[in-house]
Amino acid sequence: MNYTLHQLQIFLKVAELKSITKASEELFLSQPAVSMQLKKFQDQFSIPLTEVVGRQLYVTDFGNEIAEAAEKILNEVEAINYKTLSRQGQLAGKLKIAIVSTAKYAMPYFLTGFMQRHKGIDLEMDVTNKAGVIRSLENNDVDFAMVSVLPEHLSLNQVELMSNKLYLVGSSHTEMGSTRVTKAIFEKYPLLYREKGSATRSAMESFLTKLNVPNKKKIELTSNEALKQSLIAGLGISIMPLIGLKNELKDKELHIIPFKGLPIKTNWNLIWLKSKNLSPVASAYLNYVQTEKEKIINETFNWYEAYD
């Protein structure tokens, strides 16, 4: 047999996603290139690795065994690379972080300096909703997570990073009528929500429940970007984290609607399991965050504090 590490990587990704198209997107390769390497890999086995039924690709039992072996081989190769860098005096390894989707507007700034200092570190960052982040923590799949609402059922350590503020937001299509906004605005305009499992949605629902606001029409969107574009288009109003609105507020595509009881204030936190044995890479990152967080906030998020 004469397969390459590249072919192992491609086959493993296809086996994980059960789609050549999705695998090509994640690997930043063209679909024909993935198909060609997959065929070359298959040609080395007399037993099928995959099969197509209808338009769906399935991995055979034999294919799953090969995928498991491929993962082990690739992990060993990765370990060799890290050990080589360590011998050369570099901090090397993998840093795994899960963040709620809104945190993508903040977390990269708490990573950039660290990644630039340590070229031997690979980063895996999963951007999901609150439920997905909690799952990653429960399964011990990540070193750290960034959330605004702490999961109460887990025993956690935390570092408070910065404030999280949620405001009522609308576009130029939202006619204020006067500077004094009452809860009648929630009856006039449809409410735009994030998906179930989102911390932003939970905070919004709790606030509206306290106001006893009747919810006549609800629109649900599964990403912050989709929600923002829907607001800009005039589909309705929403309660959203300020952290993701910098450009839209600056360009006056969206505006904050003053309302009594808002903003809702929480904090962005870096969290990890108390039972977690942090790797040298994770420990180095924790030290970096604790040392540099104030500087990062002052240099990057000064616009954010102006809304206090």
Side-chain angles (χ1 to χ4, degrees), residues 31-292:
Q31 191 169 327
V34 170
S35 297
M36 181 179 69
Q37 291 301 322
L38 189 62
K39 183 180 182 304
K40 288 182 177 179
F41 188 61
Q42 172 64 80
D43 287 345
Q44 298 179 75
F45 302 94
S46 59
I47 305 172
L49 300 170
T50 62
E51 58 185 355
V52 177
V53 179
R55 300 184 65 181
Q56 178 63 49
L57 183 146
Y58 295 91
V59 183
T60 64
D61 289 343
F62 178 66
N64 283 321
E65 291 178 11
I66 297 300
E68 187 177 331
E71 184 174 19
K72 290 177 181 177
I73 292 169
L74 293 170
N75 285 340
E76 287 299 319
V77 170
E78 194 174 68
I80 290 170
N81 293 335
Y82 292 149
K83 286 176 182 177
T84 302
L85 291 170
S86 295
R87 286 284 184 176
Q88 294 171 347
Q90 297 184 43
L91 185 63
K94 188 173 288 185
L95 180 64
K96 296 183 179 180
I97 299 176
I99 64 172
V100 293
S101 57
T102 308
K104 68 178 178 282
Y105 301 107
M107 191 68 208
Y109 296 100
F110 291 95
L111 285 162
T112 301
F114 180 75
M115 297 301 294
Q116 288 175 344
R117 287 182 193 178
H118 303 290
K119 303 296 185 182
I121 292 177
D122 293 327
L123 172 67
E124 283 187 10
M125 186 164 70
D126 182 27
V127 182
T128 180
N129 60 19
K130 179 186 173 185
V133 168
I134 291 174
R135 223 171 14 249
S136 293
L137 284 168
E138 288 174 334
N139 295 335
N140 198 30
D141 291 333
V142 294
D143 299 306
F144 301 104
M146 185 177 179
V147 296
S148 59
V149 179
L150 299 175
E152 295 179 358
H153 68 290
L154 294 177
S155 181
L156 299 166
N157 289 315
Q158 70 183 90
V159 173
E160 188 176 300
L161 296 178
M162 58 186 290
S163 62
N164 180 39
K165 296 172 278 193
L166 286 77
Y167 287 88
L168 181 61
V169 180
S171 71
S172 58
H173 299 275
T174 311
E175 297 176 8
M176 302 284 288
S178 69
T179 55
R180 184 173 178 271
V181 180
T182 68
K183 69 178 185 179
I185 193 172
F186 296 109
E187 298 181 41
K188 182 176 181 180
Y189 296 103
L191 295 171
L192 276 61
Y193 287 81
R194 284 290 308 276
E195 77 285 0
K196 289 182 179 179
S198 161
T200 298
R201 176 177 177 140
S202 297
M204 180 174 172
E205 287 179 331
S206 296
F207 180 76
L208 295 176
T209 298
K210 289 176 184 176
L211 283 180
N212 196 27
V213 171
N215 191 358
K216 292 184 178 179
K217 187 171 184 180
K218 180 167 67 177
I219 300 172
E220 184 176 304
L221 299 112
T222 57
S223 79
N224 225 50
E225 290 301 314
L227 200 154
K228 284 195 293 184
Q229 292 305 314
S230 298
L231 287 174
I232 292 169
L235 272 179
I237 58 176
S238 186
I239 294 175
M240 294 188 68
L242 177 65
I243 194 70
L245 300 175
K246 179 181 179 181
N247 293 330
E248 291 75 16
L249 292 172
K250 180 183 176 182
D251 296 338
K252 298 183 179 180
E253 294 177 309
L254 295 175
H255 63 269
I256 291 172
I257 303 170
F259 194 88
K260 186 178 180 181
L262 294 175
I264 301 168
K265 290 188 177 182
T266 58
N267 290 298
W268 288 112
N269 297 281
L270 187 73
I271 61 174
W272 66 101
L273 294 173
K274 283 187 176 180
S275 58
K276 180 79 174 176
N277 291 319
L278 295 180
S279 67
V281 167
S283 294
Y285 179 65
L286 179 58
N287 181 66
Y288 169 81
V289 168
Q290 291 172 322
T291 304
E292 301 291 333

Side-chain angles (χ1 to χ4, degrees), residues 110 161-162 293-302:
F110 291 95
L161 296 178
M162 58 186 290
K293 69 171 186 173
E294 294 302 330
K295 179 183 177 184
I296 294 167
I297 291 168
N298 292 334
E299 291 181 352
T300 308
F301 299 103
N302 53 343

